[in-house]
Amino acid sequence: MIFDYVDDNTREILEKKGSRVRNMFDRIAPWYDFLNHFLSLGIDRYWREKMIRRLKLQPEHHVLDMATGTGDLAITLVRNSGCSVTGMDVSEKMMTIAERKVREKGLQHKISFLPGAAEHIPFESGKFDVVVVAFGVRNFTNLDQGLKEMLRVLKPGGQLAILEFSKPVWQPLKAVYSFYLFHVLPLAGRIFSGDKYAYTYLPVSIKAFPQREVFLQIMQNCGYEVTWYNTYTGGIVTAYYGKKPVK
Ligand SMILES: C[S@@+](CC[C@H](N)C(=O)[O-])C[C@H]1O[C@@H](n2cnc3c(N)ncnc32)[C@H](O)[C@@H]1O
């Protein structure tokens, strides 16, 4: 559980998540894309591109985009490689927006969506060549179970790639980023989306999430091998990679 890696105060806030996470994303769904691009100054698109470039995807690959949200990663995957994507998420409101975007872009033959949670993936073992998650694992109710389920549905030798917020490594950025995260972002998020909880939960969940080497260790404990990470934008975001053992 993610709760195993955090202090008592943070645990109290996160323990309330579960269904709250789904309700929260259902509520902010209409604002999600705008706030995502606005609050990240549009860099979120660059982070997704960077993460998937390393995967060397082929048109015949079938990819599971877990916690697909409004589908930006699924769309980027198809545009970059021509692969097929299944998007899955606990929030149907987020996926309704994703479906609309995919239809507007004429990509429905390449991308399909299915409601579901990472902790119980309704697919047989060994189905996917690649599983990706962008800004989603931080929200899982049970991190270990989610990682193990994603491993199960990967083919032997298949890859997992995870993009997640992290604490900056570059010292001058730390204070500015912390102020932005805990003061500017909750205020801006509340003004635009009208949701008090969502953008207060965001910085707390980022702070609580296991970072870099610790997260790689968790991936290894869950059965992944050849694990490594890349940091972007001074460490604000980290991409994690791992493989399912062949045997
Ligand atoms: C911050 S959004 C990220 C959406 C998208 N991947 C992106 O890059 O914009 C996180 C998403 O994770 C979903 N989510 C949270 N917990 C989940 C779980 N246990 N299984 C599947 N999806 C989950 C939420 O509903 C939400 O749509």
Side-chain angles (χ1 to χ4, degrees):
M1 297 276 285
I2 190 170
F3 301 157
D4 297 339
Y5 310 105
V6 301
D7 60 56
D8 287 349
N9 286 344
T10 312
R11 183 178 303 123
E12 199 184 314
I13 295 174
L14 293 179
E15 269 173 354
K16 291 179 189 155
K17 61 179 196 178
S19 62
R20 263 185 112 163
V21 165
R22 197 182 74 211
N23 294 339
M24 175 182 84
F25 282 105
D26 274 347
R27 281 198 311 274
I28 64 167
W31 287 98
Y32 180 79
D33 279 345
F34 166 72
L35 281 170
N36 223 7
H37 304 324
F38 175 71
L39 294 172
S40 74
L41 307 174
I43 317 174
D44 60 307
R45 296 187 182 97
Y46 157 84
W47 292 327
R48 290 189 193 87
E49 296 255 355
K50 283 290 251 190
M51 176 194 51
I52 63 178
R53 217 169 286 163
R54 305 246 161 192
L55 294 170
K56 307 215 171 4
L57 288 163
Q58 304 297 319
E60 63 274 18
H61 282 160
H62 191 182
V63 181
L64 175 63
D65 177 23
M66 182 50 74
T68 188
T70 54
D72 277 358
L73 183 58
I75 292 166
T76 311
L77 285 160
V78 173
R79 284 192 164 157
N80 275 260
S81 68
C83 66
S84 309
V85 181
T86 300
M88 181 168 289
D89 202 288
V90 289
S91 164
E92 296 192 30
K93 293 249 165 67
M94 293 285 274
M95 279 194 301
T96 303
I97 292 170
E99 273 170 340
R100 196 193 63 220
K101 282 159 66 178
V102 164
R103 261 198 319 276
E104 282 167 5
K105 291 173 181 16
L107 294 175
Q108 50 291 34
H109 61 296
K110 283 285 183 184
I111 307 176
S112 56
F113 294 101
L114 196 69
E119 292 83 352
H120 302 280
I121 304 176
F123 285 113
E124 70 272 21
S125 303
K127 183 173 173 65
F128 296 97
D129 299 284
V130 172
V131 177
V132 292
V133 197
F135 310 111
V137 287
R138 191 172 26 90
N139 304 296
F140 289 0
T141 315
N142 188 326
L143 178 61
D144 288 5
Q145 197 179 325
L147 287 171
K148 285 178 187 164
E149 268 291 89
M150 294 192 291
L151 183 76
R152 181 184 66 76
V153 297
L154 271 175
K155 290 179 181 164
Q159 307 177 78
L160 170 75
I162 289 173
L163 194 63
E164 197 46 86
F165 288 113
S166 46
K167 294 172 205 156
V169 279
W170 190 49
Q171 199 58 37
L173 193 64
K174 278 188 177 172
V176 179
Y177 183 63
S178 182
F179 181 77
Y180 174 76
L181 205 57
F182 283 92
H183 300 284
V184 180
L185 193 133
L187 184 66
R190 196 169 65 219
I191 290 170
F192 284 110
S193 73
D195 196 293
K196 224 161 74 180
Y197 174 69
Y199 290 86
T200 310
Y201 161 81
L202 180 65
V204 172
S205 64
I206 293 174
K207 195 173 162 221
F209 195 70
Q211 307 282 305
R212 301 184 254 276
E213 279 79 9
V214 180
F215 188 69
L216 285 191
Q217 189 58 57
I218 296 168
M219 285 174 70
Q220 286 161 20
N221 294 347
C222 290
Y224 293 88
E225 62 174 26
V226 204
T227 56
W228 51 289
Y229 68 80
N230 270 342
T231 54
Y232 305 126
T233 321
I236 287 174
V237 162
T238 302
Y240 301 90
Y241 300 88
K243 274 193 175 178
K244 180 169 179 170
V246 175
K247 264 199 85 176

